[in-house]
Amino acid sequence: MKFASIRLVAADIKALVSFYEMVTGQKAEWLAPVFAEIVTPAATLAFGSAETVSLFKEGSAEPAANRTAIIEFQVDDVEAEFARLKDVVEVVHAPKMMPWGNCAAQFRDPEGTLVGLYAPITDAAKQRFASR
């Protein structure tokens, strides 16, 4: 099995895609007016408008309702990325060290999903991510 993507269901897909284009520095590929993807080396971040939910099962997903998942991006320099984004995102917390050896910062996307940036800092953390 290969982990392929995370899909966010959006009430305002254009705003959400623009937000993630800004965060990642990558342009999305629009495969349909209601569906776009940002392909990264590790996985794909996909976006579907709320109207796509009915293609699966009506009511099975709801925009802006997530309070359990964190979309995380590994970066080289959390402090620099945080400085670039802090004035245009809703900050949850500024960069700080986590007990597992990463420096991490968090903010919310336009629909409320928690987004994290992290960089392995300790030797153990760097070793853990070296083969990923």
PDB file of all heavy atoms in Angstrom, residues 56-83:
ATOM      1  N   PHE A  56     -19.509  10.794  -3.709  1.00  0.00           N
ATOM      2  CA  PHE A  56     -19.226   9.639  -2.849  1.00  0.00           C
ATOM      3  C   PHE A  56     -20.490   9.269  -2.090  1.00  0.00           C
ATOM      4  O   PHE A  56     -21.163   8.332  -2.417  1.00  0.00           O
ATOM      5  CB  PHE A  56     -18.075   9.956  -1.902  1.00  0.00           C
ATOM      6  CG  PHE A  56     -16.833  10.382  -2.641  1.00  0.00           C
ATOM      7  CD1 PHE A  56     -16.412  11.692  -2.612  1.00  0.00           C
ATOM      8  CD2 PHE A  56     -16.109   9.473  -3.392  1.00  0.00           C
ATOM      9  CE1 PHE A  56     -15.274  12.090  -3.295  1.00  0.00           C
ATOM     10  CE2 PHE A  56     -14.979   9.859  -4.092  1.00  0.00           C
ATOM     11  CZ  PHE A  56     -14.558  11.180  -4.047  1.00  0.00           C
ATOM     12  N   LYS A  57     -20.793  10.038  -1.061  1.00  0.00           N
ATOM     13  CA  LYS A  57     -22.030   9.853  -0.303  1.00  0.00           C
ATOM     14  C   LYS A  57     -22.370  11.188   0.332  1.00  0.00           C
ATOM     15  O   LYS A  57     -21.550  11.768   1.034  1.00  0.00           O
ATOM     16  CB  LYS A  57     -21.878   8.779   0.771  1.00  0.00           C
ATOM     17  CG  LYS A  57     -23.161   8.539   1.534  1.00  0.00           C
ATOM     18  CD  LYS A  57     -23.043   7.479   2.589  1.00  0.00           C
ATOM     19  CE  LYS A  57     -24.391   7.367   3.286  1.00  0.00           C
ATOM     20  NZ  LYS A  57     -24.310   6.617   4.509  1.00  0.00           N
ATOM     21  N   GLU A  58     -23.552  11.662   0.053  1.00  0.00           N
ATOM     22  CA  GLU A  58     -24.002  12.950   0.577  1.00  0.00           C
ATOM     23  C   GLU A  58     -23.776  13.013   2.087  1.00  0.00           C
ATOM     24  O   GLU A  58     -24.113  12.077   2.810  1.00  0.00           O
ATOM     25  CB  GLU A  58     -25.494  13.156   0.260  1.00  0.00           C
ATOM     26  CG  GLU A  58     -25.974  14.569   0.487  1.00  0.00           C
ATOM     27  CD  GLU A  58     -25.382  15.566  -0.494  1.00  0.00           C
ATOM     28  OE1 GLU A  58     -25.329  15.255  -1.695  1.00  0.00           O
ATOM     29  OE2 GLU A  58     -24.957  16.644  -0.049  1.00  0.00           O
ATOM     30  N   GLY A  59     -23.126  14.085   2.534  1.00  0.00           N
ATOM     31  CA  GLY A  59     -22.914  14.285   3.961  1.00  0.00           C
ATOM     32  C   GLY A  59     -21.730  13.545   4.551  1.00  0.00           C
ATOM     33  O   GLY A  59     -21.470  13.631   5.750  1.00  0.00           O
ATOM     34  N   SER A  60     -20.970  12.805   3.732  1.00  0.00           N
ATOM     35  CA  SER A  60     -19.857  12.011   4.272  1.00  0.00           C
ATOM     36  C   SER A  60     -18.653  12.866   4.644  1.00  0.00           C
ATOM     37  O   SER A  60     -17.798  12.429   5.415  1.00  0.00           O
ATOM     38  CB  SER A  60     -19.444  10.925   3.281  1.00  0.00           C
ATOM     39  OG  SER A  60     -19.009  11.490   2.064  1.00  0.00           O
ATOM     40  N   ALA A  61     -18.562  14.074   4.115  1.00  0.00           N
ATOM     41  CA  ALA A  61     -17.503  15.015   4.484  1.00  0.00           C
ATOM     42  C   ALA A  61     -18.128  16.399   4.566  1.00  0.00           C
ATOM     43  O   ALA A  61     -19.103  16.689   3.878  1.00  0.00           O
ATOM     44  CB  ALA A  61     -16.371  14.994   3.464  1.00  0.00           C
ATOM     45  N   GLU A  62     -17.544  17.245   5.404  1.00  0.00           N
ATOM     46  CA  GLU A  62     -18.097  18.579   5.616  1.00  0.00           C
ATOM     47  C   GLU A  62     -16.971  19.604   5.664  1.00  0.00           C
ATOM     48  O   GLU A  62     -16.022  19.448   6.435  1.00  0.00           O
ATOM     49  CB  GLU A  62     -18.852  18.580   6.945  1.00  0.00           C
ATOM     50  CG  GLU A  62     -19.489  19.875   7.309  1.00  0.00           C
ATOM     51  CD  GLU A  62     -20.175  19.795   8.668  1.00  0.00           C
ATOM     52  OE1 GLU A  62     -20.551  18.690   9.096  1.00  0.00           O
ATOM     53  OE2 GLU A  62     -20.307  20.850   9.290  1.00  0.00           O
ATOM     54  N   PRO A  63     -17.047  20.638   4.838  1.00  0.00           N
ATOM     55  CA  PRO A  63     -16.006  21.661   4.868  1.00  0.00           C
ATOM     56  C   PRO A  63     -15.906  22.330   6.238  1.00  0.00           C
ATOM     57  O   PRO A  63     -16.893  22.438   6.963  1.00  0.00           O
ATOM     58  CB  PRO A  63     -16.475  22.684   3.827  1.00  0.00           C
ATOM     59  CG  PRO A  63     -17.478  21.982   2.995  1.00  0.00           C
ATOM     60  CD  PRO A  63     -18.080  20.925   3.864  1.00  0.00           C
ATOM     61  N   ALA A  64     -14.698  22.748   6.579  1.00  0.00           N
ATOM     62  CA  ALA A  64     -14.430  23.528   7.790  1.00  0.00           C
ATOM     63  C   ALA A  64     -14.845  22.829   9.080  1.00  0.00           C
ATOM     64  O   ALA A  64     -15.104  23.478  10.082  1.00  0.00           O
ATOM     65  CB  ALA A  64     -15.092  24.897   7.681  1.00  0.00           C
ATOM     66  N   ALA A  65     -14.893  21.499   9.084  1.00  0.00           N
ATOM     67  CA  ALA A  65     -15.333  20.777  10.277  1.00  0.00           C
ATOM     68  C   ALA A  65     -14.202  20.005  10.955  1.00  0.00           C
ATOM     69  O   ALA A  65     -14.428  19.341  11.958  1.00  0.00           O
ATOM     70  CB  ALA A  65     -16.463  19.813   9.909  1.00  0.00           C
ATOM     71  N   ASN A  66     -12.979  20.097  10.436  1.00  0.00           N
ATOM     72  CA  ASN A  66     -11.880  19.276  10.949  1.00  0.00           C
ATOM     73  C   ASN A  66     -11.275  19.870  12.211  1.00  0.00           C
ATOM     74  O   ASN A  66     -10.860  21.014  12.243  1.00  0.00           O
ATOM     75  CB  ASN A  66     -10.793  19.143   9.884  1.00  0.00           C
ATOM     76  CG  ASN A  66      -9.601  18.366  10.387  1.00  0.00           C
ATOM     77  OD1 ASN A  66      -9.705  17.614  11.345  1.00  0.00           O
ATOM     78  ND2 ASN A  66      -8.473  18.550   9.759  1.00  0.00           N
ATOM     79  N   ARG A  67     -11.185  19.075  13.250  1.00  0.00           N
ATOM     80  CA  ARG A  67     -10.488  19.458  14.470  1.00  0.00           C
ATOM     81  C   ARG A  67      -9.647  18.291  14.985  1.00  0.00           C
ATOM     82  O   ARG A  67      -9.299  18.252  16.150  1.00  0.00           O
ATOM     83  CB  ARG A  67     -11.476  19.910  15.556  1.00  0.00           C
ATOM     84  CG  ARG A  67     -12.142  21.234  15.265  1.00  0.00           C
ATOM     85  CD  ARG A  67     -11.134  22.356  15.400  1.00  0.00           C
ATOM     86  NE  ARG A  67     -11.801  23.633  15.333  1.00  0.00           N
ATOM     87  CZ  ARG A  67     -11.437  24.609  14.525  1.00  0.00           C
ATOM     88  NH1 ARG A  67     -10.431  24.460  13.709  1.00  0.00           N
ATOM     89  NH2 ARG A  67     -12.071  25.746  14.523  1.00  0.00           N
ATOM     90  N   THR A  68      -9.317  17.340  14.105  1.00  0.00           N
ATOM     91  CA  THR A  68      -8.531  16.189  14.548  1.00  0.00           C
ATOM     92  C   THR A  68      -7.231  16.008  13.788  1.00  0.00           C
ATOM     93  O   THR A  68      -6.285  15.457  14.321  1.00  0.00           O
ATOM     94  CB  THR A  68      -9.334  14.881  14.417  1.00  0.00           C
ATOM     95  OG1 THR A  68      -9.676  14.688  13.048  1.00  0.00           O
ATOM     96  CG2 THR A  68     -10.594  14.911  15.258  1.00  0.00           C
ATOM     97  N   ALA A  69      -7.159  16.451  12.567  1.00  0.00           N
ATOM     98  CA  ALA A  69      -5.966  16.221  11.748  1.00  0.00           C
ATOM     99  C   ALA A  69      -5.104  17.476  11.691  1.00  0.00           C
ATOM    100  O   ALA A  69      -5.603  18.595  11.799  1.00  0.00           O
ATOM    101  CB  ALA A  69      -6.365  15.810  10.333  1.00  0.00           C
ATOM    102  N   ILE A  70      -3.804  17.266  11.509  1.00  0.00           N
ATOM    103  CA  ILE A  70      -2.859  18.355  11.289  1.00  0.00           C
ATOM    104  C   ILE A  70      -2.137  18.033   9.981  1.00  0.00           C
ATOM    105  O   ILE A  70      -1.563  16.955   9.836  1.00  0.00           O
ATOM    106  CB  ILE A  70      -1.835  18.457  12.435  1.00  0.00           C
ATOM    107  CG1 ILE A  70      -2.531  18.635  13.774  1.00  0.00           C
ATOM    108  CG2 ILE A  70      -0.856  19.605  12.163  1.00  0.00           C
ATOM    109  CD1 ILE A  70      -1.590  18.518  14.973  1.00  0.00           C
ATOM    110  N   ILE A  71      -2.164  18.950   9.047  1.00  0.00           N
ATOM    111  CA  ILE A  71      -1.420  18.789   7.804  1.00  0.00           C
ATOM    112  C   ILE A  71      -0.046  19.369   8.070  1.00  0.00           C
ATOM    113  O   ILE A  71       0.078  20.539   8.434  1.00  0.00           O
ATOM    114  CB  ILE A  71      -2.127  19.483   6.639  1.00  0.00           C
ATOM    115  CG1 ILE A  71      -3.463  18.802   6.399  1.00  0.00           C
ATOM    116  CG2 ILE A  71      -1.246  19.473   5.390  1.00  0.00           C
ATOM    117  CD1 ILE A  71      -4.309  19.445   5.355  1.00  0.00           C
ATOM    118  N   GLU A  72       0.989  18.543   7.911  1.00  0.00           N
ATOM    119  CA  GLU A  72       2.335  18.975   8.263  1.00  0.00           C
ATOM    120  C   GLU A  72       3.254  18.993   7.054  1.00  0.00           C
ATOM    121  O   GLU A  72       3.196  18.117   6.204  1.00  0.00           O
ATOM    122  CB  GLU A  72       2.926  18.055   9.335  1.00  0.00           C
ATOM    123  CG  GLU A  72       2.188  18.148  10.660  1.00  0.00           C
ATOM    124  CD  GLU A  72       2.821  17.309  11.731  1.00  0.00           C
ATOM    125  OE1 GLU A  72       3.004  16.097  11.502  1.00  0.00           O
ATOM    126  OE2 GLU A  72       3.129  17.867  12.796  1.00  0.00           O
ATOM    127  N   PHE A  73       4.122  20.000   7.062  1.00  0.00           N
ATOM    128  CA  PHE A  73       5.133  20.142   6.028  1.00  0.00           C
ATOM    129  C   PHE A  73       6.494  20.195   6.698  1.00  0.00           C
ATOM    130  O   PHE A  73       6.720  21.023   7.591  1.00  0.00           O
ATOM    131  CB  PHE A  73       4.925  21.431   5.228  1.00  0.00           C
ATOM    132  CG  PHE A  73       3.631  21.453   4.456  1.00  0.00           C
ATOM    133  CD1 PHE A  73       2.517  22.080   4.983  1.00  0.00           C
ATOM    134  CD2 PHE A  73       3.530  20.844   3.211  1.00  0.00           C
ATOM    135  CE1 PHE A  73       1.323  22.115   4.279  1.00  0.00           C
ATOM    136  CE2 PHE A  73       2.345  20.873   2.508  1.00  0.00           C
ATOM    137  CZ  PHE A  73       1.237  21.507   3.039  1.00  0.00           C
ATOM    138  N   GLN A  74       7.405  19.335   6.263  1.00  0.00           N
ATOM    139  CA  GLN A  74       8.780  19.393   6.750  1.00  0.00           C
ATOM    140  C   GLN A  74       9.503  20.458   5.936  1.00  0.00           C
ATOM    141  O   GLN A  74       9.444  20.468   4.704  1.00  0.00           O
ATOM    142  CB  GLN A  74       9.475  18.042   6.591  1.00  0.00           C
ATOM    143  CG  GLN A  74      10.863  18.029   7.180  1.00  0.00           C
ATOM    144  CD  GLN A  74      11.510  16.651   7.096  1.00  0.00           C
ATOM    145  OE1 GLN A  74      10.876  15.655   6.834  1.00  0.00           O
ATOM    146  NE2 GLN A  74      12.811  16.627   7.332  1.00  0.00           N
ATOM    147  N   VAL A  75      10.164  21.368   6.637  1.00  0.00           N
ATOM    148  CA  VAL A  75      10.874  22.472   5.995  1.00  0.00           C
ATOM    149  C   VAL A  75      12.308  22.509   6.504  1.00  0.00           C
ATOM    150  O   VAL A  75      12.631  21.906   7.528  1.00  0.00           O
ATOM    151  CB  VAL A  75      10.168  23.824   6.254  1.00  0.00           C
ATOM    152  CG1 VAL A  75       8.759  23.826   5.661  1.00  0.00           C
ATOM    153  CG2 VAL A  75      10.119  24.149   7.740  1.00  0.00           C
ATOM    154  N   ASP A  76      13.160  23.221   5.810  1.00  0.00           N
ATOM    155  CA  ASP A  76      14.550  23.346   6.251  1.00  0.00           C
ATOM    156  C   ASP A  76      14.687  24.295   7.431  1.00  0.00           C
ATOM    157  O   ASP A  76      15.512  24.073   8.311  1.00  0.00           O
ATOM    158  CB  ASP A  76      15.440  23.841   5.098  1.00  0.00           C
ATOM    159  CG  ASP A  76      15.569  22.809   3.994  1.00  0.00           C
ATOM    160  OD1 ASP A  76      15.514  21.595   4.293  1.00  0.00           O
ATOM    161  OD2 ASP A  76      15.730  23.216   2.832  1.00  0.00           O
ATOM    162  N   ASP A  77      13.890  25.366   7.451  1.00  0.00           N
ATOM    163  CA  ASP A  77      14.043  26.407   8.464  1.00  0.00           C
ATOM    164  C   ASP A  77      12.662  26.887   8.909  1.00  0.00           C
ATOM    165  O   ASP A  77      12.034  27.708   8.232  1.00  0.00           O
ATOM    166  CB  ASP A  77      14.866  27.558   7.881  1.00  0.00           C
ATOM    167  CG  ASP A  77      15.193  28.645   8.887  1.00  0.00           C
ATOM    168  OD1 ASP A  77      14.506  28.766   9.920  1.00  0.00           O
ATOM    169  OD2 ASP A  77      16.154  29.391   8.623  1.00  0.00           O
ATOM    170  N   VAL A  78      12.195  26.384  10.042  1.00  0.00           N
ATOM    171  CA  VAL A  78      10.866  26.742  10.553  1.00  0.00           C
ATOM    172  C   VAL A  78      10.783  28.234  10.844  1.00  0.00           C
ATOM    173  O   VAL A  78       9.788  28.883  10.524  1.00  0.00           O
ATOM    174  CB  VAL A  78      10.513  25.912  11.809  1.00  0.00           C
ATOM    175  CG1 VAL A  78       9.211  26.398  12.435  1.00  0.00           C
ATOM    176  CG2 VAL A  78      10.416  24.438  11.467  1.00  0.00           C
ATOM    177  N   GLU A  79      11.811  28.781  11.455  1.00  0.00           N
ATOM    178  CA  GLU A  79      11.816  30.212  11.800  1.00  0.00           C
ATOM    179  C   GLU A  79      11.639  31.080  10.550  1.00  0.00           C
ATOM    180  O   GLU A  79      10.850  32.026  10.548  1.00  0.00           O
ATOM    181  CB  GLU A  79      13.113  30.596  12.516  1.00  0.00           C
ATOM    182  CG  GLU A  79      13.328  29.907  13.845  1.00  0.00           C
ATOM    183  CD  GLU A  79      12.604  30.546  15.015  1.00  0.00           C
ATOM    184  OE1 GLU A  79      12.042  31.648  14.845  1.00  0.00           O
ATOM    185  OE2 GLU A  79      12.598  29.935  16.091  1.00  0.00           O
ATOM    186  N   ALA A  80      12.347  30.775   9.485  1.00  0.00           N
ATOM    187  CA  ALA A  80      12.258  31.561   8.255  1.00  0.00           C
ATOM    188  C   ALA A  80      10.879  31.424   7.608  1.00  0.00           C
ATOM    189  O   ALA A  80      10.288  32.423   7.168  1.00  0.00           O
ATOM    190  CB  ALA A  80      13.343  31.132   7.267  1.00  0.00           C
ATOM    191  N   GLU A  81      10.355  30.207   7.551  1.00  0.00           N
ATOM    192  CA  GLU A  81       9.022  30.002   6.968  1.00  0.00           C
ATOM    193  C   GLU A  81       7.954  30.684   7.807  1.00  0.00           C
ATOM    194  O   GLU A  81       7.015  31.285   7.283  1.00  0.00           O
ATOM    195  CB  GLU A  81       8.719  28.509   6.815  1.00  0.00           C
ATOM    196  CG  GLU A  81       9.579  27.815   5.787  1.00  0.00           C
ATOM    197  CD  GLU A  81       9.348  28.324   4.372  1.00  0.00           C
ATOM    198  OE1 GLU A  81       8.223  28.741   4.019  1.00  0.00           O
ATOM    199  OE2 GLU A  81      10.315  28.311   3.590  1.00  0.00           O
ATOM    200  N   PHE A  82       8.089  30.600   9.134  1.00  0.00           N
ATOM    201  CA  PHE A  82       7.135  31.256  10.018  1.00  0.00           C
ATOM    202  C   PHE A  82       7.180  32.770   9.799  1.00  0.00           C
ATOM    203  O   PHE A  82       6.127  33.422   9.704  1.00  0.00           O
ATOM    204  CB  PHE A  82       7.430  30.914  11.481  1.00  0.00           C
ATOM    205  CG  PHE A  82       6.452  31.519  12.440  1.00  0.00           C
ATOM    206  CD1 PHE A  82       5.185  30.964  12.603  1.00  0.00           C
ATOM    207  CD2 PHE A  82       6.771  32.645  13.178  1.00  0.00           C
ATOM    208  CE1 PHE A  82       4.270  31.516  13.479  1.00  0.00           C
ATOM    209  CE2 PHE A  82       5.864  33.212  14.061  1.00  0.00           C
ATOM    210  CZ  PHE A  82       4.610  32.644  14.207  1.00  0.00           C
ATOM    211  N   ALA A  83       8.362  33.335   9.690  1.00  0.00           N
ATOM    212  CA  ALA A  83       8.495  34.778   9.451  1.00  0.00           C
ATOM    213  C   ALA A  83       7.820  35.173   8.134  1.00  0.00           C
ATOM    214  O   ALA A  83       7.174  36.224   8.043  1.00  0.00           O
ATOM    215  CB  ALA A  83       9.966  35.173   9.441  1.00  0.00           C
TER     216      ALA A  83
END
